[in-house]
């Protein structure tokens, strides 16, 4: 039940301040009783006789109190000042339980305007600012017998101030609150309040040793929110008495991007398919332009026109062979800006590990260490003698490398990874089908990724053989003497075999060229294709998307000591969020994800992007901004308060103004008397 009446909040605490205040009017009265001390004065005329006769009345220590307007004005001013110290006021207030729990919604939807917006999408204060203002006013009306706590919540709850009757501490905690970009989950905040009002027992099974650990302490639960969160089930309010203060408007305007993703075409890896979903959560039909940006450059756009609660899908097709960062932007200002932009990316393939076993091949080494190859692969060169070591056996059995290249040598057993063998057959499953001889290439399978973009008909091969692989082997290059390059599958791995070496040795042991391929432009392109498709460096995929505030756990393929986390901002620049250590197994944990955008993990020593992820709101409930008329809290439907908590009307300021007015009048009487 609501009650209205005069309430008093003393501004002074302790006994001695009130004793000093009570002594002030007594001192004023005593000043009027005291005898005036006069010195004998000789005057040249009888003009002042009347004043002298008047002063004869003070010929004793004390005098009778005479009617004095000045005295009455001074006493009245002191009385009004004393009353002002009690902070009198009027307010309509619910019967207080003495304890209050303020729940302040800090989720993304609280960034929307508290009132209606104009055509340009601009309004007054936000919902969060309005809620904070109302809580501040309620704190100001607290009496010394009341206590309160402040809890903020978005997708997680935070106790900003535990129970206290100190209004200054509550105001300081309120000033520290800030709105976030996160979705809403009120359950954690309710549990924090429940811990006070519904103390638990020592046992959950109710045996004889079960005792109540504390007395129940009922509390008022004051929820300041727009109500855009899921119904709370499996929760009991118990001694909490909820009041839902709805902050916001029902008439809203908002278009939201609720999904955005990109993926490569399986048939054409250079082609990227981009998909998005736009939802109109407002109360009227809206139209806009959706602009797609690739690495800060506008590449496409589409028109969108939607009725209320209608959604549509958009699709774009772009060409890019590399890992990219994408951004979709709605070119319309509305009530919520965070869902007008969305981000997506394709992750880089990562730095693959390649082991090269060769007795010495300068052309092979140069082809594998070009700047473009170094961006995707880390190559280690060893001699054929390494194949007999225990280190190689452990390495091959563990599958540590993404690719092993055997140049004019073969292992005792096939490793647990993909292989590329030149001038030799890798195992007994392969065999030569011709004697060494010069050969001419007559057919090339350019549809295979390893041979894409290559022109090889002009190659000269001085000595080569025809090779035959295991059943199911695919011929990639056909020569006049038979297949000279083939690829075959092996227990989930792939083995690529080239029937001629790049270099050979003469009778004296000197190295000599066996082909002119190393001098052609196609040679580094071929090796790059091998790295991309045999070592897995081409396997870029859609970067995962997380909601703001989520902890991102990612595992890097290559072993790094630390990475730098960067967030892409407008203008093609990147904002550094600091360095992160790489844990065991290449695990990296990123916690600074409060802002939407495309994020990069960059190798600290090489500045190479090793992973990407995106942060987006993507929450249709959060984008629906119409304030909810009621909320469901623990099996109880709580309707929005009609006017929230009524504001207390303070009178002490008017009383102080009256004191100043009385002092002015008193001074006027005093100066008139002197005149």
């Amino acid at each position: 039940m609501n009650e209205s009446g005069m309430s008093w909040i003393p501004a002074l605490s302790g006994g001695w301040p009130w004793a000093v205040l009570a002594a002030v009017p007594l001192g004023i009265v005593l000043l009027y009783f005291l005898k005036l001390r006069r010195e004998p004065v000789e005057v040249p005329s009888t003009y002042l006789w009347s004043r002298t006769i008047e002063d004869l009345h003070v010929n004793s220590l004390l005098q009778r109190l005479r009617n004095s307007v000045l005295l009455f004005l001074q006493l009245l001013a002191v009385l009004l000042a004393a009353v002002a110290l009690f902070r009198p006021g009027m307010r309509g207030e619910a019967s207080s339980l003495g304890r209050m729990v303020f729940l302040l919604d800090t989720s993304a939807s609280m960034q929307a305007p508290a009132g209606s917006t104009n055509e340009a999408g601009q309004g007054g204060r936000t919902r969060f600012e309005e809620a904070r203002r109302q809580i501040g006013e309620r704190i100001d009306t607290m009496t010394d017998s009341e206590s309160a706590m402040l809890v903020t919540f978005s997708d997680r709850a935070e106790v900003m101030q535990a129970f206290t009757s100190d209004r200054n501490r509550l105001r300081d905690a309120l000033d520290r609150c800030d709105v976030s970009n996160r979705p809403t989950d009120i359950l954690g905040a309710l549990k924090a309040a429940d811990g006070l009002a519904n103390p638990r027992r020592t046992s959950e099974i109710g045996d004889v040793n079960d005792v109540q650990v504390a007395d129940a302490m009922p509390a008022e639960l004051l929820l300041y929110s727009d109500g855009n969160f899921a119904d709370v089930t499996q929760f009991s309010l118990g001694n909490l008495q909820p009041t839902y203060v709805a902050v916001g408007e029902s008439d809203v305007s908002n278009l939201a991007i609720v999904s955005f993703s990109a993926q490569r075409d399986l048939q054409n890896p250079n082609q990227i398919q981009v998909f998005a979903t736009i939802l109109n959560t407002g109360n009227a039909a809206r139209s806009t332009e959706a602009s797609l940006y690739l690495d800060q450059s506008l590449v496409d756009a589409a028109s969108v026109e939607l009725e209320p609660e209608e959604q549509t899908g958009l699709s774009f097709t772009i060409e890019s062979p590399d890992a990219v960062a994408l951004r979709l932007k709605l070119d319309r200002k509305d009530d919520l800006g965070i869902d007008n932009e969305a981000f997506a990316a394709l992750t880089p393939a990562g730095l693959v590990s390649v082991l090269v076993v060769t007795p010495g091949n300068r052309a092979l080494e140069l082809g594998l260490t070009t700047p473009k190859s170094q961006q995707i692969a880390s190559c280690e060169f060893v001699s054929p003698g390494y194949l007999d070591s225990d280190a190689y056996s452990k390495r091959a059995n563990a599958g540590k490398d993404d690719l092993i290249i055997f140049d004019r040598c073969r292992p005792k057993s096939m490793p647990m990874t993909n292989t590329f063998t030149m001038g030799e057959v890798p195992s007994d499953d392969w065999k030569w089908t011709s004697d060494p001889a010069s050969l001419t290439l007559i057919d090339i399978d350019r549809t295979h990724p390893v041979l894409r973009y290559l022109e090889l008909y002009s190659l000269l091969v001085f000595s080569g053989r025809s090779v035959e692989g295991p059943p199911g082997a695919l011929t990639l290059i056909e020569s006049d003497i038979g297949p000279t390059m083939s690829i075959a599958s092996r227990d989930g791995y792939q083995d690529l075999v080239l029937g001629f070496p790049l270099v050979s040795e003469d009778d004296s042991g000197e190295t000599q060229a066996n082909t002119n391929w190393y001098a052609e432009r196609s040679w580094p392109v071929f090796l790059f294709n091998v790295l991309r498709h045999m070592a897995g460096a081409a396997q870029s995929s859609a970067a995962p998307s997380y909601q703001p505030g989520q902890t991102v756990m990612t595992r890097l393929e290559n072993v790094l000591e630390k990475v730098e986390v960067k967030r892409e901002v407008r203008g093609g620049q990147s904002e550094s969020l600091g360095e992160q250590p790489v844990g065991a197994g290449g695990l990296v944990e990123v916690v600074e994800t409060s802002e939407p955008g495309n994020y990069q993990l960059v190798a600290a020593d090489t500045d190479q992007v090793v992973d990407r992820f995106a942060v987006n709101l993507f929450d249709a409930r959060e984008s629906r901004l119409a304030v909810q008329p009621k909320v469901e809290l623990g099996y109880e439907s709580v309707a929005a308060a009609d006017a929230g908590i009524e504001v207390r009307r303070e009178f002490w300021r008017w009383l102080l103004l009256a004191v100043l007015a009385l002092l002015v009048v008193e001074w006027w009487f005093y100066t008139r008397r002197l005149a």
Side-chain angles (χ1 to χ4, degrees):
M1 177 180 296
N2 288 345
E3 301 175 353
S4 298
M6 178 72 72
S7 60
W8 307 80
I9 304 177
L12 299 179
S13 59
W16 68 269
W18 294 106
V20 173
L21 180 63
V24 172
L26 180 61
I28 293 175
V29 173
L30 289 178
L31 288 176
Y32 279 83
F33 278 104
L34 291 179
K35 175 182 177 181
L36 295 178
R37 293 182 177 274
R38 300 295 187 182
E39 295 183 1
V41 177
E42 294 182 1
V43 295
S45 66
T46 61
Y47 177 75
L48 298 179
W49 284 4
S50 60
R51 292 296 181 92
T52 305
I53 295 174
E54 182 180 350
D55 289 341
L56 293 177
H57 295 289
V58 289
N59 53 6
S60 60
L61 178 64
L62 298 177
Q63 62 176 336
R64 292 177 54 189
L65 184 63
R66 296 168 297 160
N67 292 332
S68 174
V69 176
L70 294 179
L71 175 61
F72 292 144
L73 291 177
Q74 292 170 358
L75 291 177
L76 182 58
V78 173
L79 177 62
L80 292 179
V83 173
L85 289 175
F86 281 90
R87 293 180 58 196
M90 294 281 294
R91 69 178 172 98
E93 57 179 333
S95 300
S96 175
L97 298 177
R99 296 178 177 87
M100 293 173 290
V101 179
F102 296 112
L103 296 189
L104 174 58
D105 190 348
T106 61
S107 63
S109 63
M110 296 296 285
Q111 300 178 32
S116 59
T117 58
N118 55 28
E119 291 298 324
Q122 299 173 343
R125 61 169 63 98
T126 65
R127 296 178 179 183
F128 172 77
E129 293 169 343
E130 174 63 19
R132 190 164 61 175
R133 183 191 66 82
Q134 292 188 27
I135 294 177
E137 290 180 344
R138 183 63 183 89
I139 292 175
D140 290 340
T141 64
M142 288 175 54
T143 64
D144 289 341
S145 62
E146 291 179 316
S147 61
M149 71 182 297
L150 176 61
V151 181
T152 61
F153 68 94
S154 51
D155 61 342
R156 65 200 66 178
E158 182 178 0
V159 178
M160 303 299 294
Q161 175 59 56
F163 270 98
T164 181
S165 58
D166 189 335
R167 292 184 292 272
N168 289 329
R169 295 178 63 182
L170 288 169
R171 293 188 194 98
D172 292 340
L174 187 62
D175 291 338
R176 295 196 305 270
C177 298
D178 200 3
V179 70
S180 70
N181 296 318
R182 300 177 177 181
T184 316
D185 184 2
I186 194 177
L187 184 59
L190 291 176
K191 289 181 177 180
D194 178 63
L196 167 84
N198 306 311
R200 297 295 180 259
R201 306 180 71 86
T202 59
S203 172
E204 296 295 334
I205 60 176
D207 56 22
V208 294
N209 295 321
D210 183 17
V211 296
Q212 188 75 28
V213 298
D215 295 332
M217 295 181 288
E220 299 175 69
L221 185 69
L222 303 177
L223 170 60
Y224 293 80
S225 172
D226 53 17
N228 290 316
F229 49 80
D231 295 342
V232 179
T233 59
Q234 306 297 324
F235 179 82
S236 177
L237 289 171
N239 291 316
L240 295 174
Q241 298 186 8
T243 298
Y244 167 41
V245 183
V247 184
E249 294 285 336
S250 298
D251 186 13
V252 295
S253 172
N254 189 42
L255 291 176
I257 304 174
V258 293
S259 71
F260 183 51
S261 62
Q263 63 183 28
R264 291 197 182 275
D265 190 290
L266 295 178
Q267 302 299 325
N268 184 6
N270 291 335
Q271 192 174 84
I272 301 174
Q273 302 290 335
V274 183
F275 305 96
T277 303
I278 314 298
L279 173 66
N280 182 4
T281 65
N283 306 111
R286 292 289 184 267
S287 62
T288 187
E289 290 288 325
S291 301
L292 178 65
Y293 294 85
L294 171 64
D295 293 332
Q296 309 301 325
S297 298
L298 178 65
V299 294
D300 207 345
S303 297
V304 177
E305 186 171 354
L306 297 173
E307 296 295 324
E309 288 302 319
E310 183 182 5
Q311 70 178 26
T312 186
L314 301 179
S315 63
F316 305 91
T317 301
I318 58 178
E319 297 281 340
S320 179
D322 302 319
V324 296
L326 299 168
R327 177 169 64 97
L328 185 67
K329 183 177 183 299
L330 301 183
D331 301 328
R332 179 187 178 91
K333 292 184 178 180
D334 51 29
D335 289 348
L336 189 63
I338 187 177
D339 56 11
N340 290 342
E341 281 188 302
F343 304 87
L346 293 178
T347 62
L351 203 62
V352 296
S353 175
V354 179
L355 177 65
V356 184
V357 186
T358 176
N361 192 331
R362 182 62 175 168
L364 178 61
E365 182 178 350
L366 290 176
L368 291 174
T369 55
T370 62
K372 197 167 185 179
S373 296
Q374 286 183 324
Q375 290 180 355
I376 62 174
S378 174
C379 298
E380 180 181 353
F381 294 84
V382 297
S383 65
Y386 181 71
L387 298 177
D388 298 326
S389 65
D390 292 337
Y392 169 76
S393 298
K394 295 179 181 179
R395 185 171 186 168
N397 294 332
K400 177 181 178 181
D401 299 293
D402 300 296
L403 173 68
I404 298 180
I405 299 177
F406 299 103
D407 177 28
R408 295 167 288 162
C409 60
R410 59 180 287 178
K412 294 180 180 179
S413 61
M414 296 300 291
M416 306 298 290
T417 187
N418 295 339
T419 66
F420 172 36
T421 306
M422 297 188 299
E424 184 61 86
V425 289
S427 68
D428 294 338
D429 294 332
W430 294 77
K431 61 181 180 180
W432 299 117
T433 58
S434 69
D435 294 328
S438 63
L439 54 85
T440 302
L441 307 184
I442 61 176
D443 190 21
I444 301 172
D445 184 5
R446 289 192 182 89
T447 62
H448 196 276
V450 170
L451 299 179
R452 187 169 294 162
Y453 313 119
L454 298 183
E455 177 59 56
L456 303 177
Y457 291 113
S458 62
L459 293 188
L460 299 176
V461 180
F462 303 114
S463 178
R465 294 184 182 185
S466 174
V467 63
E468 180 182 341
L474 176 65
T475 299
L476 301 183
I477 299 179
E478 186 80 24
S479 71
D480 57 347
I481 62 175
T484 192
M485 179 184 285
S486 298
I487 189 169
S489 297
R490 168 184 51 87
D491 299 331
Y493 303 105
Q494 287 188 313
D495 299 317
L496 178 66
V497 177
L498 180 63
F500 59 89
L502 198 64
V503 297
S504 62
E505 295 180 355
D506 57 17
D507 296 337
S508 62
E510 295 293 332
T511 301
Q512 62 183 5
N514 187 53
T515 176
N516 65 339
W517 196 5
Y518 69 89
E520 299 289 331
R521 294 182 178 179
S522 59
W523 172 244
V525 176
F526 167 71
L527 289 180
F528 188 74
N529 288 344
V530 170
L531 294 177
R532 283 171 58 87
H533 299 283
M534 293 295 294
Q539 296 176 355
S540 63
S541 59
S545 179
Y546 302 88
Q547 288 188 310
Q550 282 188 312
T551 298
V552 176
M553 304 289 291
T554 182
R555 189 179 299 276
L556 304 180
E557 294 181 1
N558 55 307
V559 180
L560 299 171
E561 293 184 358
K562 58 183 178 181
V563 293
E564 184 180 8
V565 183
K566 293 184 177 181
R567 184 175 68 90
E568 297 180 9
V569 296
R570 294 182 181 179
Q573 302 298 318
S574 296
E575 174 189 7
S576 177
L577 302 179
E579 292 185 345
Q580 291 285 115
V582 179
L587 189 65
V588 178
E589 179 178 347
V590 182
V591 296
E592 293 187 23
T593 60
S594 59
E595 295 295 329
N598 277 313
Y599 289 71
Q600 299 177 344
L601 298 183
V602 181
D605 52 348
T606 63
D607 290 333
Q608 176 68 28
V609 178
V610 295
D611 203 0
R612 294 176 184 261
F613 63 89
V615 174
N616 297 286
L617 179 60
F618 289 169
D619 191 318
R621 182 185 297 274
E622 202 70 23
S623 295
R624 287 186 168 91
L625 302 179
V627 67
Q628 301 301 309
K630 62 180 181 179
V631 294
E632 299 292 332
L633 300 178
Y635 309 106
E636 182 175 342
S637 181
V638 183
D642 293 335
I645 302 298
E646 293 187 18
V647 178
R648 170 186 167 89
R649 291 178 294 174
E650 301 273 8
F651 297 150
W652 62 271
R653 296 181 179 87
W654 296 102
L655 292 175
L656 291 182
L657 291 176
V659 170
L660 293 177
L662 287 175
L663 292 178
V664 171
V665 173
E666 192 267 348
W667 178 256
W668 180 78
F669 270 101
Y670 176 72
T671 55
R672 183 181 178 186
R673 178 178 177 180
L674 290 180

